[in-house]
Amino acid sequence: MKAKNDIYETEKYTDIRDMINKSVEKYRDNTAFIIKNKVGNEVKYRNITFKETKEDMEALGTALISLGLRNARVVVISPNRYEWVTTYLAVVNGVGVIVPLDRSLPENEMQGMLERSQADAIIFDKKYKDTVRELKNNCETINLRSYICMDDEEDGEFLSYTKLLEKGKKLIEENSNEAKEYKNAKIYPEKMSILLFTSGTTSKAKAVMLSHKNLAEQIPALRAVLNAWPGDVSLSFLPLHHTFGSLASWYIFVSDATTVFCDGLKHIQENLKEYGVTVFVTVPLVLETMYKRIMKTVEKQGKLETLQKGRKISKALNKIHIDVRRKMFKDIINALGGKLRIVVSGAASLDKEVAEALNDFGILVCQGYGLTETSPVVCVEPDKYIKCGSVGFPLRNLQVEIDEPNNEGIGELKVKGPSVMLGYYGMPEETAKVLKDGWFYTGDLAYFDKQGYVHITGRKKDVIVLKNGKNIYPEEIETLINKMDYVSESLVFGYPKDDDLIVTAKIVYNKDYINENYPNITKEELEQMIWKDIKEINTTIAGYQHVKKIIITEEPLIKTTTAKVKRFVEIQKILEGN
């Protein structure tokens, strides 16, 4: 019997170019990407094959070489789109180092990252034309040689991505020196090829150095436990500048599956149906919001009791290998596009109740865990061995241990293996804090259960340590609070009082839900209602964990682009009285 973290046969890759070449060789004329173009009210779709993807990658890479950008550092700023993918692949596979930036960054932060990364060129979506123009004209500390817009024709100000692509194809046809240089460029698997800035919440964002080897080793290990099928359709929703988002694209690519691009947060369910999406890689906040919306509809229709009975029946039948879930819960499946088969959730902890419910409905939910510094996946639930509430097992090529576990087996999780970063660029002291004797210290608290599954309990720095020595893990209490129908999200932290801390919850209520269900409620009555529910939660947890102070708001918590709450920023804001 195979190990639970090594279920499926997988192909090995020496580097990212090898990964692309092997996939194109096998799936040559199959559809790798679908692009949607809107012209007025008319919508047109274009299927791009694996072969065409490689051709575009090589054409763009050759054109960049012709601009004198060999060994350059190339920044990409854009929403998720096909041109982002080809830019990334073109750069890492023969040009130099790719530097994906978060498109939501304010201009001053973007400027800082361009300076720190020592960028030579920038390729950007036209939405950021004004920002790039401002940086180009007014920032003497930025020494970019080439500015390339993904959308516009050349206008004397910026180069055109489309024109460069055409130029590259012509140079390849002519078997030019630039074409030969790109094609024959030597790949150094253990050298920095990707420079990624983390979401800085407590200090200046760190720049993580990753290599071809980091990702080339990660993909087969992930595919050994999660089986995307040929012909699957994956919705690219997570920002591609985030490691989890881009890794999902390469995972889909090597699986002979198709990637489509999300039109935005408000269009997820519409896109799921539009493209017949079968695989969705997302974050808990999105999944939990979708689940709440579905359950609210079921309740309004008076079918909640019937649904719960159906879940019990389908579970019983499933135990004797009769699977009727997708037929029994067809309406729910249809509400999620009709074909959704598997959801992979990461970046934060997913509510166990949501994971169990979706699995009961016939949609496989696999939760994973990782960090940018680990390329990013460390653990994931294998699709054949789901245990809701856990993050599964470590990938087969990683060593994962708990450092200095307490009496409950909880301690800092540390990782060793080929997907651990090279270090933080230009920050040797910060690197030394987390990389010790080959181990990467994650800063996350975790434990192994008796079956070997990993459970994350929270960030080491977020633990509330009371004067009596008791430790409180905020995420555990947040999960209980977030179950309340009218709660969108919450933040639990220790509020200073006298010489100790009191457990405090900042609660973001759903304004639409409150208006619909409690149209005449006053602010005082709303607070009384929430306090009543908080006191009910307090009866289910230990006394030292009791929430003793609440802050109520309708304003969303400040988050990163992967929907992680910027806890430090939020807490500072509260303590400063803002």
Side-chain angles (χ1 to χ4, degrees):
M1 180 180 174
K2 283 199 167 194
K4 291 180 179 180
N5 60 359
D6 192 13
I7 304 167
Y8 303 109
E9 297 293 336
T10 60
E11 188 159 20
K12 292 183 178 179
Y13 310 109
T14 57
D15 51 59
I16 299 170
R17 188 165 64 187
D18 181 45
M19 179 187 82
I20 296 297
N21 288 340
K22 284 177 177 175
S23 300
V24 171
E25 186 179 339
K26 287 192 291 185
Y27 316 134
R28 185 180 178 85
D29 296 318
N30 296 347
T31 299
F33 298 92
I34 297 176
I35 297 176
K36 177 167 66 175
N37 291 311
K38 288 183 180 179
V39 182
N41 295 324
E42 189 178 1
V43 178
K44 291 185 177 179
Y45 300 90
R46 177 187 162 207
N47 290 7
I48 298 175
T49 65
F50 285 81
K51 174 176 173 282
E52 288 171 326
T53 303
K54 183 184 175 184
E55 288 172 348
D56 287 347
M57 173 193 87
E58 291 177 341
L60 181 60
T62 299
L64 294 175
I65 294 286
S66 76
L67 294 176
L69 293 173
R70 181 77 175 103
N71 297 319
R73 296 180 182 186
V74 181
V75 167
V76 56
I77 303 174
S78 165
N80 290 12
R81 55 185 289 183
Y82 174 67
E83 291 80 5
W84 193 104
V85 174
T86 51
T87 296
Y88 182 108
L89 294 176
V91 173
V92 299
N93 288 323
V95 174
V97 176
I98 190 73
V99 186
L101 290 191
D102 183 345
R103 59 193 172 92
S104 67
L105 288 171
E107 190 177 306
N108 65 320
E109 283 190 43
M110 198 175 289
Q111 177 185 342
M113 290 178 181
L114 287 167
E115 291 169 356
R116 289 173 58 200
S117 64
Q118 299 177 302
D120 299 289
I122 184 169
I123 301 180
F124 59 95
D125 183 283
K126 66 180 178 182
K127 292 176 184 175
Y128 310 102
K129 203 170 181 180
D130 289 343
T131 300
V132 172
R133 182 182 291 116
E134 185 69 23
L135 291 168
K136 179 185 179 187
N137 295 335
N138 299 310
C139 297
E140 295 178 2
T141 52
I142 295 174
N143 299 307
L144 294 174
R145 288 180 274 153
S146 298
Y147 296 80
I148 302 161
C149 183
M150 292 178 177
D151 304 276
D152 298 339
E153 294 298 312
E154 283 191 45
D155 55 7
E157 183 179 20
F158 302 122
L159 296 173
S160 161
Y161 171 97
T162 305
K163 291 287 185 183
L164 280 177
L165 209 60
E166 292 171 1
K167 179 182 179 181
K169 287 179 180 179
K170 187 176 180 182
L171 288 170
I172 290 171
E173 285 175 15
E174 295 169 351
N175 196 29
S176 68
N177 289 333
E178 293 91 343
K180 290 175 185 174
E181 187 176 355
Y182 183 79
K183 186 176 181 180
N184 298 323
K186 185 171 176 58
I187 301 293
Y188 296 91
E190 297 187 41
K191 186 178 177 182
M192 178 182 74
S193 297
I194 305 132
L195 192 59
L196 288 155
F197 286 90
T198 61
S199 302
T201 56
T202 59
S203 59
K204 185 167 70 171
K206 300 178 183 72
V208 175
M209 299 185 288
L210 298 181
S211 68
H212 276 257
K213 182 181 178 180
N214 289 147
L215 295 183
E217 291 272 2
Q218 178 97 161
I219 295 289
L222 185 60
R223 291 195 72 213
V225 290
L226 287 178
N227 190 19
W229 299 343
D232 264 332
V233 177
S234 172
L235 182 65
S236 178
F237 161 71
L238 291 182
L240 286 170
H241 73 263
H242 191 276
T243 338
F244 190 29
S246 54
L247 181 84
S249 293
W250 317 141
Y251 164 76
I252 290 299
F253 192 86
V254 302
S255 302
D256 190 16
T258 301
T259 295
V260 297
F261 298 96
C262 185
D263 291 331
L265 186 61
K266 294 180 180 178
H267 301 280
I268 290 175
Q269 286 185 254
E270 172 191 325
N271 289 156
L272 291 174
K273 184 176 182 181
E274 177 183 10
Y275 294 105
V277 171
T278 56
V279 177
F280 185 33
V281 180
T282 187
V283 290
L285 184 62
V286 171
L287 211 53
E288 289 164 6
T289 301
M290 290 168 67
Y291 173 73
K292 279 185 176 181
R293 195 178 298 136
I294 288 169
M295 295 307 292
K296 184 180 173 183
T297 301
V298 170
E299 192 174 2
K300 272 187 174 180
Q301 294 171 344
K303 296 180 179 179
L304 191 57
E305 190 177 341
T306 304
L307 179 76
Q308 301 302 358
K309 285 180 181 177
R311 285 177 67 180
K312 288 179 181 178
I313 293 168
S314 71
K315 276 183 178 179
L317 290 172
N318 223 26
K319 285 180 180 178
I320 56 174
H321 307 293
I322 299 173
D323 190 350
V324 296
R325 292 174 297 171
R326 292 182 73 87
K327 289 182 180 178
M328 184 175 284
F329 302 108
K330 187 179 178 182
D331 289 346
I332 289 175
I333 300 294
N334 287 339
L336 294 170
K339 294 187 177 180
L340 190 60
R341 179 178 68 82
I342 182 169
V343 173
V344 181
S345 176
S349 179
L350 176 65
D351 186 346
K352 184 179 177 181
E353 180 186 315
V354 175
E356 287 178 341
L358 291 174
N359 277 297
D360 287 348
F361 299 151
I363 296 170
L364 184 65
V365 177
C366 299
Q367 189 169 189
Y369 160 78
L371 309 94
T372 303
E373 291 90 339
T374 54
S375 305
V377 182
V378 173
C379 306
V380 71
E381 288 181 283
D383 57 21
K384 292 186 180 297
Y385 300 101
I386 296 294
K387 185 173 187 179
C388 296
S390 80
V391 292
F393 299 100
L395 295 185
R396 66 185 183 186
N397 59 351
L398 297 178
Q399 289 176 256
V400 174
E401 293 182 5
I402 305 299
D403 187 57
E404 298 181 356
N406 63 15
N407 293 336
E408 298 171 300
I410 298 172
E412 184 175 3
L413 186 144
K414 61 180 184 178
V415 186
K416 182 186 280 190
S419 56
V420 171
M421 68 170 180
L422 303 174
Y424 295 124
Y425 181 70
M427 301 176 95
E429 291 180 4
E430 292 297 324
T431 300
K433 289 177 185 177
V434 296
L435 280 179
K436 303 169 189 176
D437 299 322
W439 289 96
F440 172 67
Y441 287 73
T442 65
D444 288 311
L445 296 171
Y447 68 91
F448 285 92
D449 67 19
K450 291 178 181 178
Q451 295 171 302
Y453 287 87
V454 177
H455 297 256
I456 305 296
T457 61
R459 290 291 289 170
K460 188 177 180 180
K461 65 184 179 184
D462 295 334
V463 175
I464 303 168
V465 182
L466 301 180
K467 190 177 178 181
N468 61 10
K470 294 287 188 182
N471 289 347
I472 299 167
Y473 304 104
E475 288 86 348
E476 293 178 357
I477 302 173
E478 288 165 4
T479 297
L480 297 173
I481 294 172
N482 293 344
K483 288 181 188 293
M484 296 190 287
D485 291 335
Y486 54 81
V487 174
S488 294
E489 53 187 340
S490 63
L491 173 73
V492 172
F493 66 101
Y495 193 96
K497 185 178 181 182
D498 300 327
D499 60 346
D500 204 355
L501 299 170
I502 57 171
V503 181
T504 302
K506 182 173 183 178
I507 297 168
V508 180
Y509 64 86
N510 186 319
K511 188 178 178 182
D512 292 337
Y513 184 95
I514 294 296
N515 288 342
E516 185 177 342
N517 293 278
Y518 307 96
N520 300 313
I521 196 168
T522 65
K523 187 177 179 180
E524 291 73 21
E525 289 170 337
L526 175 61
E527 186 169 343
Q528 287 173 11
M529 181 179 78
I530 294 175
W531 256 125
K532 182 181 176 183
D533 289 335
I534 289 295
K535 287 174 181 176
E536 183 62 33
I537 288 172
N538 283 345
T539 64
T540 67
I541 56 182
Y544 66 88
Q545 295 176 299
H546 285 187
V547 176
K548 295 179 180 177
K549 178 181 174 67
I550 62 172
I551 299 163
I552 300 168
T553 181
E554 63 183 66
E555 293 296 321
L557 300 175
I558 302 167
K559 302 179 194 68
T560 67
T561 48
T562 51
K564 283 185 181 178
V565 174
K566 293 188 174 184
R567 303 181 74 92
F568 180 81
V569 175
E570 278 288 348
I571 293 167
Q572 281 297 109
K573 187 173 146 188
I574 293 165
L575 296 179
E576 290 169 5
N578 297 324

